[in-house]
């Protein structure tokens, strides 16, 4: 069991042969009752198989992008940062892990008044993983790991969980001392070096007004990284898979990764975990030598999208008893039984990159494709409907858990072959999939 500094030293001295970084946003909770542990265990075979395969040619490392445990469950289940790390050690996790701190990696028992509570609340994270800022050289590339969550934890205690003595609130920014450290760190790096920046909260997020750092800090970061024409950012926090850039800050290419747990391990018994954006439960493998970013579902498939027949979706939600309750209690939530979805093709494409062209073809004929802001219908089936009751508070589910990569087209028939193509800006085929309609919709939809 090496110390953090020993691990960092060994990684820095590791071979400079081709390498892969293993990226994941661990999500709460890593351990709860036994059924949750069973779900955690099911993830690791896919990870071990992928590591074994990659190691035939490359070195492999892991990056934990925060929320490794969950502050609410530190005292309920005895699973703080250190205990969660020891769990991974006990099952023989196969790679070195670099880590950044997320908002749930702080001690909710330490109540605060302001930002000065950030340091004491992170005591267990420091003991387990190390400092809130550090960098390493791997394969000639420069990797930076920084905490951009400032934990406050004031307000009313959470009475449903042991020792949670505040509201667990926080701000999303890099402190002045961190930014000064970042300037000093980059001053030692040749501008021709590939630079990778890892943090919990995205530095920008055009799909959300809250799941990103405080906006004025983008100008500061852009200035600090001014010597580097390209900076690749990896972050988590949003519980969605978002591959994104920002026109105002073109040096940054950001990959926001969902949790390995899907949507927090919370799918009811008999239903599979998927991410908050509807993407299959999985992890991301990044290959620095080629820039390849590949999302890997834990079922071992290469699936990059899910195609729904709008008629099948309508039929399911029109006949489901809890869907009827949802329409009654939360009329602003997407009504999948609506005529709006009649004879449509709905596609969730998590394998696309910024600038890609989405093509939906019916019997070889292109359809008009529109990007839509709605929840994935399978997400609604798995995570929303099971919680709806007659007594559900009015408006509780008015807000959709919107997916950033959902597309829709109106079909001309009900039984033609559908092909979906994702084409790069250079005109190359990135991925494709297809199905024949009519296609049923249920909990096993793929």
């Amino acid at each position: 069991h090496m110390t953090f500094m020993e691990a960092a030293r060994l990684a820095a001295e590791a071979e400079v042969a081709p390498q892969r970084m293993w990226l994941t946003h661990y999500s709460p909770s890593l351990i709860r009752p036994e059924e949750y542990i069973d779900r955690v265990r099911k993830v690791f075979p896919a990870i071990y198989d992928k590591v074994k395969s990659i190691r035939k040619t490359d070195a492999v490392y892991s990056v934990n992008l925060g929320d490794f445990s969950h502050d609410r469950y530190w005292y309920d289940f005895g699973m703080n940062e250190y205990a969660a790390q020891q769990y991974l050690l006990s099952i023989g996790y196969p790679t070195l892990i670099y880590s950044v701190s997320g908002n749930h990696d702080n001690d909710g028992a330490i109540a605060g008044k302001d930002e000065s509570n950030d340091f004491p609340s992170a005591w267990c994270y420091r003991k387990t993983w190390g400092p809130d800022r550090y960098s390493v050289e791997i394969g000639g590339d420069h990797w930076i790991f920084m905490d951009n969550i400032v934990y406050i934890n004031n307000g009313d205690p959470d009475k449903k969980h042991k020792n949670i003595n505040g509201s667990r609130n926080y701000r999303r920014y890099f402190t002045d001392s961190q930014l000064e450290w970042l300037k000093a760190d980059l001053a030692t790096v040749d501008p021709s070096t590939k630079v990778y920046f890892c943090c919990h909260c995205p530095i920008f997020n055009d799909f959300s007004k809250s799941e990103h750092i405080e906006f004025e800090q983008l100008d500061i970061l852009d200035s600090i990284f001014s010597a580097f024409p390209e900076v690749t950012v990896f972050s988590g926090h949003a519980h969605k898979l978002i591959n994104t850039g920002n026109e105002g800050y073109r040096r940054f290419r950001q990959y926001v990764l969902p949790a390995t747990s899907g949507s927090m391990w919370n799918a009811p018994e008999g239903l599979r975990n998927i991410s908050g954006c509807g993407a299959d439960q999985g992890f991301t493998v990044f290959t620095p030598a080629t820039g390849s970013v590949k999302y890997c579902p834990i079922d071992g498939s290469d699936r990059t999208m899910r195609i729904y027949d709008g008629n099948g979706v309508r039929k399911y939600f029109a006949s489901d008893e809890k869907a009827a309750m949802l329409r009654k209690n939360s009329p602003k939530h997407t009504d999948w039984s609506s005529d709006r979805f009649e004879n449509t093709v709905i596609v969730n494409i998590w394998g696309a990159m910024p600038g890609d062209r989405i093509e939906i073809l019916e019997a070889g004929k292109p359809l008009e494709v529109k990007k839509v802001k709605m929840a994935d219908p399978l997400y609604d089936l798995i995570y929303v409907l099971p919680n709806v009751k007659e007594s559900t508070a009015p408006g509780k589910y008015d807000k959709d858990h919107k997916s950033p990569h959902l597309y829709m087209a109106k079909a001309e028939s009900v039984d033609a072959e559908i092909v979906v193509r994702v084409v790069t800006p250079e005109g190359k085929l990135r991925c494709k999939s297809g199905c024949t309609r009519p296609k049923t919709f249920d909990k096993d939809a793929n």
Side-chain angles (χ1 to χ4, degrees), residues 133-149:
R133 69 206 83 167
Y134 62 98
S135 64
V136 297
E137 304 292 325
I138 304 177
D141 299 336
H142 192 69
W143 286 79
I144 301 166
F145 303 86
M146 292 181 67
D147 172 14
N148 58 5
I149 297 295

Side-chain angles (χ1 to χ4, degrees), residues 356-373:
D356 285 351
R357 183 175 74 253
I358 309 301
E359 300 176 349
I360 301 178
L361 299 92
E362 180 185 26
K365 179 182 177 180
L367 301 176
E368 182 184 358
V369 180
K370 295 181 180 179
K371 189 170 186 179
V372 292
K373 288 190 174 183

Side-chain angles (χ1 to χ4, degrees), residues 127-343:
K127 171 186 175 182
T128 304
W129 298 111
D132 69 348
R133 69 206 83 167
Y134 62 98
S135 64
V136 297
E137 304 292 325
I138 304 177
D141 299 336
H142 192 69
W143 286 79
I144 301 166
F145 303 86
M146 292 181 67
D147 172 14
N148 58 5
I149 297 295
V150 179
Y151 196 71
I152 299 171
N153 198 34
N154 61 10
D156 294 333
D158 184 344
K159 296 181 180 179
K160 293 182 180 179
H161 297 274
K162 295 177 183 177
N163 295 346
I164 302 300
N165 294 320
S167 62
R168 304 179 298 118
N169 55 317
Y170 55 90
R171 290 177 62 189
R172 306 175 299 275
Y173 69 92
F174 298 100
T175 65
D176 290 343
S177 64
Q178 285 177 309
L179 294 172
E180 288 302 315
W181 174 88
L182 180 59
K183 292 178 186 177
D185 179 76
L186 289 173
T188 68
V189 181
D190 188 288
S192 65
T193 304
K194 290 182 181 179
V195 174
Y196 303 97
F197 190 54
C198 300
C199 52
H200 179 64
C201 190
I203 63 170
F204 49 74
N205 186 345
D206 55 5
F207 200 77
S208 169
K209 295 181 178 179
S210 62
E211 293 169 337
H212 56 76
I213 61 172
E214 296 177 7
F215 190 74
E216 59 270 17
Q217 287 214 318
L218 256 180
D219 286 331
I220 298 172
L221 288 177
D222 196 43
S223 175
I224 291 175
F225 282 104
S226 61
F228 302 89
E230 294 183 4
V231 178
T232 303
V233 181
F234 295 100
S235 59
H237 191 60
H239 292 263
K240 296 180 178 71
L241 181 60
I242 310 173
N243 304 321
T244 183
N246 186 297
E247 283 297 312
Y249 303 92
R250 294 192 176 187
R251 80 177 69 255
F252 300 110
R253 167 61 68 88
Q254 179 176 246
Y255 299 95
V256 182
L257 306 182
T260 310
S261 66
S263 194
M264 297 171 59
W265 310 111
N266 286 331
E269 188 67 31
L271 299 176
R272 69 186 192 270
N273 289 288
I274 62 173
S275 298
C277 61
D280 286 344
Q281 179 184 9
F283 48 85
T284 297
V285 175
F286 173 58
T287 307
T290 62
S292 168
V293 179
K294 184 176 182 181
Y295 190 70
C296 303
I298 65 166
D299 64 6
S301 72
D302 290 325
R303 195 161 41 246
T304 56
M305 66 184 79
R306 191 180 304 113
I307 304 172
Y308 303 107
D309 182 343
N311 293 335
V313 173
R314 285 187 71 220
K315 181 178 180 180
Y316 184 95
F317 281 86
S319 60
D320 186 84
E321 183 178 319
K322 291 204 169 186
M325 295 180 195
L326 178 64
R327 290 192 293 273
K328 176 183 176 181
N329 291 329
S330 297
K332 293 181 181 179
H333 191 94
T334 297
D335 176 9
W336 293 107
S337 68
S338 166
D339 291 347
R340 174 187 180 187
F341 303 109
E342 182 178 2
N343 215 33

